[in-house]
């Protein structure tokens, strides 16, 4: 998509979520940050998005920066998301980027010695680009930014690295889900810098309701879309996450 073209949409594949997005889904080519607390279903969200794409003829690339691919695939299989055939047929391609975290501090590329961080970012973008081009992917998931950010302890560096990552992946024209941790889960919380830079933001959190804890999903931001902004309950079910768009949490 040329960024000045009229928005086109892709169904998210998350049951019930499109109803919060003008019944259309995600604008094609957007970079969308999905933030959630530990165990909130970020990885499930990402793989469900890719699985649905495959069912509809859109190939996808999954980049894992923390969990091993085998463990991720096994966990979602338990929810009924079976990616085996799509992996075999080349509809889904996995970038196992977890070793990036363990490369030495200084890396020699030809005669030039560069710092670990530069190498990691350049290598990551190059690997993602290769995988996307190889299978002509239309969907991309990065799981998670948290592991990527660990290498950048200073706030300004982190922001610059994230911008560079976005600049690297945006020309690939994929609809991209960037998974990351929600650092503060209250409704009145400080914003995280990723939220300002992304085209869309979705939040997965646990909330108290009538002395019970419910999982809630909220579309905080989606540029160009008249989306619902309220938190709605969601559940883990057969096939992944299911959102209940007519039920309220607050
Ligand atoms: N079969 C299932 N039925 C119900 N809930 C499940 C099932 N399988 C997993 N879960 C829930 O999913 C959570 C893990 O989902 P997922 O790995 O997608 O979360 P995550 O946000 O990526 O976690 P992390 O923060 O570890 O990366 C578990 O903590 C559990 O609550
Ligand atoms: Mg995860």
């Amino acid at each position: 998509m040329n960024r000045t073209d009229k928005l086109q949409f892709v169904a998210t594949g998350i049951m019930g979520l499109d109803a919060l997005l003008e019944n259309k889904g995600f604008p094609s080519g957007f970079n969308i940050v999905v933030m959630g607390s530990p165990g909130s279903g970020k990885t499930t969200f990402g793989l469900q998005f890719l699985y649905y794409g495959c069912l509809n003829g859109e190939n996808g690339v999954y980049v894992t920066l923390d969990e091993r691919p085998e463990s991720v695939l096994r966990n979602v299989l338990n929810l009924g998301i079976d990616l085996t055939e799509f992996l075999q047929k080349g509809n889904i391609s996995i970038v196992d980027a977890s070793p990036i975290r363990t490369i030495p501090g200084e890396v020699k590329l030809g005669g030039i010695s560069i710092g670990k961080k530069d190498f990691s970012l350049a290598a990551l973008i190059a690997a993602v680009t290769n995988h996307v081009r190889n299978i002509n992917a239309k969907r991309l998931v990065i799981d998670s930014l948290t592991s990527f950010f660990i290498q950048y302890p200073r706030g300004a560096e982190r922001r610059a690295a994230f911008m560079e990552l976005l600049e690297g992946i945006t020309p690939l024209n994929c609809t991209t889900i960037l998974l990351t941790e929600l650092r503060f889960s209250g409704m009145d919380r400080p914003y995280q810098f990723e939220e300002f830079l992304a085209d869309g933001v979705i939040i997965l959190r646990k909330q108290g309701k009538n002395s019970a804890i419910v999982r809630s999903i909220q579309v905080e931001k989606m540029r160009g879309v008249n989306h619902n902004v309220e938190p709605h309950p969601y559940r883990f079910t057969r096939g992944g996450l299911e959102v209940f768009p007519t039920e309220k949490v607050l």
Side-chain angles (χ1 to χ4, degrees):
M1 183 192 73
N2 184 317
R3 292 210 139 210
T4 55
D5 288 350
K6 191 166 178 283
L7 289 180
Q8 303 201 341
F9 291 83
V10 296
T12 64
I14 313 300
M15 295 167 265
L17 178 58
D18 294 0
L20 305 181
L21 296 160
E22 293 185 19
N23 286 313
K24 291 176 179 164
F26 294 139
S28 175
F30 266 26
N31 295 316
I32 296 153
V33 166
V34 175
M35 308 197 302
S37 43
S40 56
K42 300 181 291 297
T43 299
T44 306
F45 187 110
L47 289 171
Q48 194 175 345
F49 169 75
L50 293 184
Y51 181 75
Y52 187 83
C54 287
L55 291 178
N56 291 283
E58 285 191 335
N59 290 349
V61 168
Y62 176 71
V63 184
T64 176
L65 283 139
D66 35 31
E67 259 188 282
R68 302 287 306 162
E70 309 81 76
S71 127
V72 174
L73 294 173
R74 198 182 47 232
N75 293 344
V76 292
L77 181 60
N78 207 28
L79 284 164
I81 301 175
D82 188 353
L83 298 169
T84 323
E85 207 182 313
F86 292 131
L87 281 162
Q88 280 164 359
K89 287 203 227 148
N91 299 116
I92 288 194
S93 181
I94 297 183
V95 181
D96 183 7
S98 44
I100 276 178
R101 292 191 299 169
T102 56
I103 62 167
E106 286 275 300
V107 180
K108 289 224 180 276
L109 281 181
I112 311 161
S113 178
I114 58 170
K116 174 179 172 176
K117 290 167 187 168
D118 301 326
F119 177 76
S120 300
L121 189 52
L124 181 65
I125 292 170
V128 171
T129 302
N130 280 341
H131 281 250
V132 166
R133 296 220 171 114
N134 279 346
I135 62 163
N136 189 24
K138 300 287 178 225
R139 295 183 180 219
L140 169 65
V141 172
I142 298 185
D143 187 4
S144 66
L145 291 177
T146 314
S147 300
F148 172 73
F149 286 148
I150 284 169
Q151 300 175 75
Y152 305 92
R154 296 220 321 267
E157 274 188 341
R158 235 171 228 216
R159 194 185 165 101
F162 184 54
M163 284 172 77
E164 213 173 307
L165 177 67
L166 290 182
E167 274 168 31
I169 60 172
T170 301
L172 301 175
N173 286 327
C174 289
T175 308
T176 301
I177 302 295
L178 302 130
L179 302 167
T180 195
E181 71 179 355
L182 178 67
R183 292 193 273 281
F184 304 91
S185 63
M187 292 309 279
D188 190 19
R189 64 184 179 85
Y191 289 119
Q192 302 176 201
F193 69 85
E194 307 94 289
E195 300 175 63
F196 295 101
L197 300 173
D199 299 310
V201 178
I202 290 184
I203 302 175
L204 304 172
R205 52 156 82 82
K206 292 195 193 91
Q207 275 179 254
K209 188 188 181 186
N210 305 334
S211 76
I213 302 285
V214 287
R215 295 184 191 273
S216 80
I217 185 166
Q218 181 184 15
V219 181
E220 186 191 57
K221 157 177 173 180
M222 198 62 61
R223 288 177 179 154
V225 180
N226 184 14
H227 62 87
N228 183 308
V229 290
E230 286 178 275
H232 296 272
Y234 71 94
R235 249 183 251 141
F236 283 84
T237 178
R238 188 91 196 140
L241 306 181
E242 180 174 8
V243 177
F244 298 91
T246 56
E247 288 178 33
K248 292 191 178 176
V249 175
L250 289 178

